[in-house]
Amino acid sequence: MSRWKSVIVVAAGLGSFLLVKLLAGGFGAVGGTYLVDQFAAGPSAAEIISELRGQGYRMYDVMEQQLPEDYAALTQEIAAIVARRPTAAQARDQALQATAAIRKKHAKSMHQAPDESLHAALTSQLDLMQLVAARETAASCARFIISGPAALVEPDKQYLRAFDANAVDVFGAIGAARENPQPIEAVTDADWEEVGNALIAQGGTSDDLQSLTALDPKDENLCRATIRFFRAVLAVEGPAGRRVRADIAYGLAAN
C-alpha cells in the first residue's frame, strides 16, 4: 500500500514559527510586555531567547541540552539577522531557513529514535492539528494542513504554546536518538496496511482516503481525515507501529 507514503503532513510546529513571530513582530507577539516598535532597534539574540524562556517556552532549553552546537549556531544566526536590520518579511524568511536547517540536518535521527519519543512527537503534532480544527473553519484547517502556520492569520499565545510543545517533543526525539540510537528497519507495505485497518477502526471512510491521497488545500474534509490518520498511526502497535511512526516523524522533520 505504497500510496500511504504520500500522506506526510507539512510540519507546522518545530518552533520556527515562534522565532519568526519574535523577529518580525517583537515580544508583544508572544505575550511579553516589551514590544519592539522598529525592527532596526530590536533586541539581541540573548534577549529574545531570555524573554521566551521567561514566558515558559521550552524549545530553546531542549535545543541547548540536546543539540548544543546547533543551539550556539542558531543564536549566532539570530544575532546576524538582527544586525542586518531586515524587513519583517526578510526576518521571517531568514528565521525559517535557520530553524529549518537544524530540523532537516537531524531528520534522519527519527529512524533511530525510541518509540516513546516518536509517539510523543506525533501526539503533540496531533494536538496541534486538533487545536486548529477546534478554532478554525474546515477550509482554514485544510490550508493549515498543507501550508502550516502561514494559513493562520494571527496565531495567538495558545497556538504558540502548541507549536512550542511540538518543538520540544521533536527535538527531544532527536536528542534521544543521539543519546541512545535504536536503528529500525524501513517501513513496509504491510505496515501501511495496518495503518489502513487502524484508520477504518477510527471511523475512516473512502472519502478520507481520497482526501489523504489528494492533499487538496480546498478540501474541507482534509483536516478531519488527517486527524483520523494520525490517530491511526498512533494506534498501530509493535514494530510495525514504530516503523510507521519513524517514517512519518522523518517526513515531518525533513520537509
Side-chain angles (χ1 to χ4, degrees):
M1 192 176 286
S2 60
R3 65 178 179 272
W4 285 104
K5 296 178 183 179
S6 66
V7 189
I8 302 297
V9 182
V10 175
L14 307 177
S16 58
F17 192 61
L18 185 64
L19 177 59
V20 168
K21 290 291 287 183
L22 275 170
L23 288 175
F27 291 143
V30 293
T33 58
Y34 179 65
L35 176 65
V36 180
D37 294 320
Q38 299 292 330
F39 192 83
S44 68
E47 288 172 331
I48 288 174
I49 293 176
S50 176
E51 178 73 11
L52 284 169
R53 285 173 166 159
Q55 294 180 44
Y57 295 104
R58 299 175 51 232
M59 183 191 79
Y60 296 101
D61 288 333
V62 174
M63 287 186 67
E64 186 174 24
Q65 293 166 6
Q66 304 288 2
L67 305 168
E69 299 90 353
D70 293 297
Y71 172 80
L74 181 60
T75 57
Q76 291 176 1
E77 182 60 25
I78 294 172
I81 292 172
V82 173
R84 288 193 289 268
R85 299 184 178 184
T87 65
Q90 291 171 335
R92 179 181 63 247
D93 293 343
Q94 293 166 15
L96 283 170
Q97 291 171 9
T99 309
I102 297 174
R103 186 182 74 230
K104 292 178 181 181
K105 174 183 176 181
H106 297 285
K108 290 183 179 180
S109 296
M110 294 301 184
H111 289 299
Q112 296 184 321
D115 195 33
E116 57 267 27
S117 296
L118 296 170
H119 203 283
L122 296 186
T123 296
S124 60
Q125 180 73 19
L126 173 60
D127 290 343
L128 177 57
M129 289 188 292
Q130 291 180 142
L131 176 63
V132 174
R135 297 186 57 186
E136 307 292 333
T137 65
S140 294
C141 189
R143 291 193 296 270
F144 173 81
I145 296 298
I146 299 298
S147 303
L152 302 177
V153 177
E154 190 63 35
D156 59 16
K157 197 167 185 177
Q158 187 177 10
Y159 279 132
L160 295 176
R161 293 288 187 191
F163 293 143
D164 182 63
N166 184 230
V168 166
D169 289 333
V170 168
F171 284 114
I174 291 171
R178 284 163 56 95
E179 183 176 337
N180 182 25
Q182 300 177 24
I184 189 171
E185 297 176 352
V187 66
T188 67
D189 286 347
D191 297 338
W192 291 114
E193 291 283 355
E194 289 200 39
V195 174
N197 293 334
L199 180 63
I200 293 172
Q202 294 287 337
T205 66
S206 58
D207 287 342
D208 291 337
L209 179 59
Q210 183 176 352
S211 294
L212 291 167
T213 52
L215 292 177
D216 181 357
K218 297 181 181 179
D219 180 3
E220 294 191 1
N221 183 56
L222 178 59
C223 193
R224 178 175 60 186
T226 304
I227 287 172
R228 284 177 173 168
F229 173 74
F230 265 72
R231 288 174 178 167
V233 168
L234 290 167
V236 176
E237 299 179 348
R242 186 187 170 209
R243 287 192 292 268
V244 169
R245 284 185 282 276
D247 207 51
I248 295 295
Y250 168 77
L252 290 172
N255 291 299

